[in-house]
Amino acid sequence: MSPSPTAPRATALIADDEDAMRAQLRGRLREVWPELEIVAEAANGIEAVALAGQHQPDVVFLDIRMPGLSGIEAARLLFNRCHLVFVTAYDQYAIDAFEQGALDYVLKPADASRLAATCARLQARLGRRPDDIAQQLGALLQSRAAQPNYLRWVQAQVGGSLRMISTREVLFFQAEEKYTRVKTEQGEVLIRKTLKELADELDPDEFWRIHRSTLVRVDAITQVTRDLRGRQMVRLRNCVEQLEVSRGHAHLFQQM
């Protein structure tokens, strides 16, 4: 569905702390709703609220997990001023947001057909007062605080494209200067997210820190041995590389 030629041009704001994800969503929106004007982009929740006040967009696309204010926290300040769409790489967040009464959600990276359906619903609602979802947003915030939602995808810029890697595919993360190396059975990429950020966001039952520079997927470990220097070394499935366990983390493998 496209607006009529005489209808005022719809405007939107995109809020996401990842440059690549904003660019990916902007490109998809250009494909499925070329008439939509992106009036501003925000890198965090605080910027999103400020820019929404400045530009008064019809629609705000909010990443749920952002610094400053989360997308849900920002939505509580914006819900009566514009139509909202949550954009997230966290399936459970998205499902909760949708069930709690938010207009719609889009999973990262934005799929063209799914986004087209969302845009059709948005176009049908333009000109109407946004739904009062303050109570539902409050309940969603409480639910999110009570139930931790761990990182399920990492984003890597590969050439001119964005690659989404499920954490289930990752064998280990390893810090390398300004980047973090992500190793899978298919290969490896570099990401800008720090190892500390990853350690805070990943499920501690799935990933163990075995060294100050290494996080390893527990169920990928096939063997732990000692080398000639007495160091514990971790072997992983379908991976030639061995990883050192530092003395401070040797307690993870106490029987060695």
Side-chain angles (χ1 to χ4, degrees):
M1 181 189 298
S2 298
S4 67
T6 58
R9 186 165 187 166
T11 59
L13 181 152
I14 296 173
D16 195 303
D17 61 338
E18 294 278 352
D19 293 346
M21 290 309 305
R22 293 200 304 272
Q24 197 269 343
L25 178 57
R26 188 192 325 122
R28 281 282 187 251
L29 285 169
R30 193 179 297 120
E31 293 175 19
V32 303
W33 192 356
E35 301 87 358
L36 183 67
E37 180 183 1
I38 309 300
V39 293
E41 295 185 14
N44 57 63
I46 295 172
E47 275 188 15
V49 173
L51 289 171
Q54 178 182 344
H55 294 279
Q56 299 294 309
D58 300 301
V59 183
V60 175
F61 293 88
L62 283 168
D63 181 23
I64 288 183
R65 189 162 190 160
M66 291 187 293
L69 290 174
S70 71
I72 301 171
E73 290 166 335
R76 293 187 74 184
L77 301 174
L78 296 172
F79 73 90
N80 59 348
R81 296 154 52 184
C82 54
H83 298 288
L84 301 174
V85 178
F86 287 144
V87 185
T88 180
Y90 301 80
D91 299 68
Q92 193 57 51
Y93 282 176
I95 293 168
D96 287 347
F98 183 71
E99 290 178 347
Q100 291 291 339
L103 169 61
D104 213 338
Y105 70 90
V106 176
L107 291 176
K108 298 180 183 182
D111 174 77
S113 61
R114 178 72 179 82
L115 189 60
T118 294
C119 289
R121 284 190 284 271
L122 285 167
Q123 290 172 28
R125 295 191 181 204
L126 288 178
R128 300 186 200 171
R129 183 177 178 84
D131 294 335
D132 186 345
I133 57 173
Q135 185 174 356
Q136 291 87 351
L137 287 169
L140 182 55
L141 272 175
Q142 291 178 356
S143 173
R144 180 186 170 193
Q147 299 178 353
N149 288 268
Y150 295 113
L151 185 65
R152 297 302 178 196
W153 299 86
V154 291
Q155 304 159 14
Q157 191 76 37
V158 181
S161 63
L162 183 72
R163 182 179 169 193
M164 298 293 291
I165 303 170
S166 168
T167 56
R168 292 188 295 270
E169 300 176 37
V170 176
L171 298 176
F172 65 85
F173 297 95
Q174 194 165 60
E176 289 197 359
E177 297 183 355
K178 296 181 180 179
Y179 298 90
T180 297
R181 181 177 165 222
V182 184
K183 179 70 174 179
T184 69
E185 293 184 25
Q186 289 71 43
E188 61 182 66
V189 295
L190 296 176
I191 61 173
R192 291 186 178 273
K193 188 179 284 287
T194 67
L195 205 70
K196 183 183 184 305
E197 290 173 324
L198 288 165
D200 290 340
E201 297 175 10
L202 291 165
D203 186 342
D205 290 331
E206 293 184 12
F207 286 89
W208 286 357
R209 192 163 199 157
I210 62 169
H211 192 281
R212 62 183 174 83
S213 64
T214 310
L215 286 166
V216 64
R217 183 168 188 84
V218 180
D219 65 9
I221 298 173
T222 59
Q223 191 177 27
V224 182
T225 60
R226 287 192 183 275
D227 66 8
L228 295 176
R229 295 167 56 188
R231 299 175 304 174
Q232 289 180 329
M233 304 298 293
V234 167
R235 292 180 179 271
L236 306 173
R237 66 170 182 264
N238 299 324
C239 182
V240 175
E241 191 172 351
Q242 296 185 58
L243 304 174
E244 180 183 353
V245 181
S246 68
R247 291 183 179 179
H249 297 87
H251 65 277
L252 295 169
F253 309 100
Q254 290 180 347
Q255 294 183 353
M256 286 298 302

